[in-house]
Amino acid sequence: NNYATADALAVVARLGIFSSVTFSYPLLFFGLRDGVIGLLRLDGAKEGVHRVATVALLALVNSLACVMKDLGLVTALGGAILGSTIVYTLPALMALATSAQNKADGKAPLLGPLETAFNYALVPLGGALAVIGAAMTLKAA
């Protein structure tokens, strides 16, 4: 609400954000629902499981939306955790998995012993940095 209500471009921007949120919510929600069903190893093909999961997740997400007042905290927390995970942990895990798969297939390993050790060290480092980032974010809130 930093823009004048008579500013035509601000109105267009607000409409754009409104339509973006409105039309992307179902896409994001379907991914969440399918991910939770898969994580819990439920049979998503059954209509009852599908409906219960949909109602439960909608109730949870909308309840959290009613309670949460500071979306900046949610964004900062997600950035702290996911940033460290994407930069440090996931590349190391992918390199280690690819190297192990190459070795299992009889090919030359992708990584040497020193590179393997560094990648094993990056995994807990990424986890530690994610925890520190999340703690600092929550401390600042």
Side-chain angles (χ1 to χ4, degrees):
N1 291 332
N2 292 333
Y3 301 103
T5 55
D7 187 355
L9 291 178
V11 172
V12 171
R14 287 185 182 109
L15 288 173
I17 291 171
F18 172 78
S19 65
S20 173
V21 170
T22 301
F23 294 116
S24 66
Y25 185 84
L27 296 173
L28 297 172
F29 182 79
F30 291 157
L32 172 68
R33 182 192 58 213
D34 292 345
V36 168
I37 287 173
L39 185 66
L40 297 176
R41 297 185 179 165
L42 301 172
D43 186 9
K46 291 183 179 178
E47 190 172 328
V49 171
H50 188 78
R51 285 187 181 181
V52 169
T54 300
V55 170
L57 285 172
L58 274 174
L60 176 68
V61 168
N62 287 316
S63 297
L64 287 173
C66 290
V67 173
M68 294 295 296
K69 300 294 180 204
D70 185 11
L71 292 181
L73 175 64
V74 175
T75 303
L77 196 58
I81 295 169
L82 295 176
S84 295
T85 303
I86 290 170
V87 171
Y88 297 105
T89 307
L90 294 180
L93 290 174
M94 288 186 282
L96 290 168
T98 303
S99 185
Q101 185 63 44
N102 281 359
K103 190 175 181 181
D105 291 343
K107 300 176 186 174
L110 178 68
L111 305 172
L114 187 60
E115 292 170 319
T116 301
F118 279 131
N119 277 291
Y120 275 116
L122 278 176
V123 174
L125 173 68
L129 290 174
V131 169
I132 290 169
M136 294 306 292
T137 299
L138 292 173
K139 183 178 178 183

